[in-house]
Amino acid sequence: MKILSIETSCDETAAAIIQWGNNQAAVLANTVSSQVSLHAKWGGVVPDLASREHQKNIVPVIEETLDRASLTPADIDLIAVTEGPGLMPALVIGVTAAKTLALIWDKPLIGIQHLEGHIYANLLKPDTELRFPLLALVVSGGHTELVLMKDHFQYQILGETQDDAAGEAFDKVAKMLGLDYPGGPIVARKADAFRTQNLESGILNLETKTGNPKIKNQESTFNFPRPMLDADNFDFSFSGLKTSVLYFLKKHEADKQDEQFIDQVCHEFQEAVVDVLVGKTKKALALYSPATFVIAGGVSANVRLRMELRNLIDTKFPTTQFLTPEFTYSLDNAAMIGIAAALRYEHMSEPDRTLLMDSYRTLEPDANLPFQNLV
Ligand code: KG4
Ligand code: ZN
């Protein structure tokens, strides 16, 4: 079957066409129109501006996607759209476009939860199979959660952030350091550069982690906290870490001119976040012994996080299959919504599939939509 999918939950206007059959997915077209430069001026996503941009771009993006796949509306079997969570003024544009197309083309329409899209993005790699139970570390700009799936579309949230999401913390630290928006990838790049350079030169023993590495050429040391790492649950908290970076920078105002210093702050911050994410994941892997472990969401693009998780799986849980999304599908895109829709449709009962013909009337965006178990 061929699915046209639409994603407008935040600042990317995205559409894709997925072909699904015999347990294999092919992405026939994947278009992402980013608004990053527009929001960069404001240091974050402005919901009303995002909405206006989506409104301008949604039709050209869908047309371009059909063109790229050399398909016409008649070739499409199912329309899928992100229903939530996300920014309401942004979601509404994608959902309205999808409902309109479903009505005029007379197609079934399915709403997909954004984070389940991130999890199913792992299936966009050829010859990949999700085996259950599955543990997912969902790390994005708005969410940080450990999710256990006993089967397709059967979700249990083991723990989640009590305040900031991991990606949000990256973005806020970037802002404190005067770096551009979105800061996550920039902080990561600087942190990785610092790490590589110092490992090569042997200035810092970055492997020991416990040593509170010294600030280059100074007596004081970094000592960023690992919030909730030792708590007896699977919840997270990143706002204390963010505040600790803020106070640290206030104390070292003069050093902010030094690029090496900035890079080292990025490094120490990234290490703290990665330690917490990996530490909590380790506990969940030990308790639930999943057949598959996946990472999902924008922060899954973080190379250091991937490296440490790979190391954890290889050394402690070698029988668990570890999946990471391709970098193109780590950040927000519509292909992930299409693949989740294909699988949901496949697992639906015939009467529920028939109901999808009515979604052009009933589907509503929901800014706080939780995971939806399929009954
Ligand atoms: O999933 P996503 O594209 O959008 C949301 O659903 O929120 O995630 C975006 C988040 C942003 O906070 C961004 O800074 C972060 O993912 N991010 C990263 C990296 N690439 C993107 N954070 C750390 N390291 C990265 N390489
Ligand atoms: Zn996302």
Side-chain angles (χ1 to χ4, degrees):
M1 72 186 308
K2 293 189 183 66
I3 300 129
L4 169 68
S5 51
I6 296 170
E7 148 70 42
T8 65
S9 67
C10 193
D11 59 347
E12 323 279 3
T13 316
I17 296 171
I18 300 291
Q19 182 164 322
W20 173 254
N22 301 322
N23 283 321
Q24 289 295 325
V27 181
L28 303 185
N30 182 46
T31 315
V32 180
S33 167
S34 177
Q35 307 173 5
V36 160
S37 51
L38 175 76
H39 298 288
K41 278 192 276 216
W42 307 95
V45 179
V46 183
D48 281 349
L49 277 186
S51 182
R52 244 188 283 166
E53 279 300 294
H54 285 314
Q55 159 125 19
K56 233 190 297 173
N57 295 333
I58 189 75
V59 171
V61 162
I62 293 169
E63 281 178 339
E64 191 178 324
T65 306
L66 282 164
D67 276 358
R68 281 186 185 166
S70 305
L71 294 175
T72 66
D75 300 313
I76 301 298
D77 302 298
L78 174 67
I79 300 172
V81 67
T82 305
E83 193 179 343
L87 303 170
M88 197 53 160
L91 286 167
V92 118
I93 304 296
V95 169
T96 306
K99 285 168 80 165
T100 309
L101 294 180
L103 171 65
I104 59 177
W105 293 349
D106 194 25
K107 306 280 180 190
L109 166 65
I110 186 165
I112 294 296
Q113 203 257 17
H114 180 82
L115 302 173
E116 100 182 346
H118 276 302
I119 293 174
Y120 278 87
N122 281 285
L123 272 182
L124 290 169
K125 263 189 187 162
D127 300 318
T128 309
E129 181 200 354
L130 302 184
R131 288 182 234 126
F132 298 92
L134 177 152
L135 178 73
L137 175 66
V138 180
V139 271
S140 71
H143 293 81
T144 301
E145 299 177 348
L146 274 164
V147 182
L148 186 67
M149 294 172 69
K150 297 228 166 67
D151 203 342
H152 280 293
F153 306 103
Q154 300 301 323
Y155 303 101
Q156 181 193 348
I157 296 186
L158 303 179
E160 60 196 331
T161 183
Q162 304 299 296
D163 39 60
D164 291 355
E168 190 179 356
F170 265 94
D171 295 338
K172 286 179 176 168
V173 165
K175 210 169 177 176
M176 291 174 205
L177 292 169
L179 305 173
D180 282 344
Y181 178 87
I186 303 171
V187 169
R189 212 166 40 241
K190 287 181 157 296
D192 292 346
F194 181 86
R195 187 169 185 280
T196 312
Q197 211 182 55
N198 285 281
L199 275 182
E200 278 167 6
S201 66
I203 290 174
L204 292 173
N205 183 357
L206 298 173
E207 292 305 322
T208 58
K209 292 272 191 76
T210 49
N212 291 337
K214 268 191 168 179
I215 301 168
K216 264 189 128 185
N217 308 322
Q218 290 196 27
E219 279 314 304
S220 51
T221 54
F222 283 93
N223 196 8
F224 293 156
R226 271 64 176 158
M228 296 186 82
L229 180 56
D230 299 319
D232 197 17
N233 57 37
F234 296 110
D235 288 336
F236 301 88
S237 162
F238 292 104
S239 91
L241 171 60
K242 174 194 70 188
T243 311
S244 149
V245 176
L246 181 69
Y247 286 138
F248 181 84
L249 290 176
K250 278 194 176 146
K251 243 173 57 191
H252 294 88
E253 200 57 49
D255 294 316
K256 279 173 82 177
Q257 308 308 321
D258 177 1
E259 192 144 343
Q260 272 282 315
F261 172 80
I262 299 285
D263 288 3
Q264 191 170 5
V265 174
C266 292
H267 166 75
E268 293 307 324
F269 165 76
Q270 177 170 274
E271 290 301 298
V273 174
V274 169
D275 277 354
V276 173
L277 294 174
V278 174
K280 291 276 178 176
T281 300
K282 184 178 172 187
K283 283 184 196 168
L285 287 166
L287 189 61
Y288 295 101
S289 306
T292 307
F293 168 59
V294 307
I295 47 172
V299 184
S300 74
N302 188 281
V303 175
R304 181 80 183 122
L305 177 63
R306 286 182 179 218
M307 186 195 286
E308 286 291 286
L309 288 171
R310 163 60 62 202
N311 188 27
L312 174 70
I313 294 284
D314 287 352
T315 55
K316 300 266 194 302
F317 306 96
T319 57
T320 298
Q321 161 182 237
F322 177 35
L323 300 178
T324 55
E326 280 180 20
F327 283 105
T328 335
Y329 304 124
S330 287
L331 299 172
D332 288 352
N333 65 87
M336 68 184 198
I337 302 303
I339 184 73
L343 270 289
R344 243 188 201 272
Y345 189 83
E346 196 168 272
H347 287 82
M348 269 178 157
S349 66
E350 205 45 54
D352 281 348
R353 285 184 189 168
T354 310
L355 281 180
L356 297 179
M357 291 307 295
D358 228 26
S359 306
Y360 73 88
R361 250 190 257 271
T362 54
L363 190 71
E364 295 291 341
D366 180 347
N368 301 308
L369 187 72
F371 282 102
Q372 304 285 303
N373 286 351
L374 193 65
V375 281

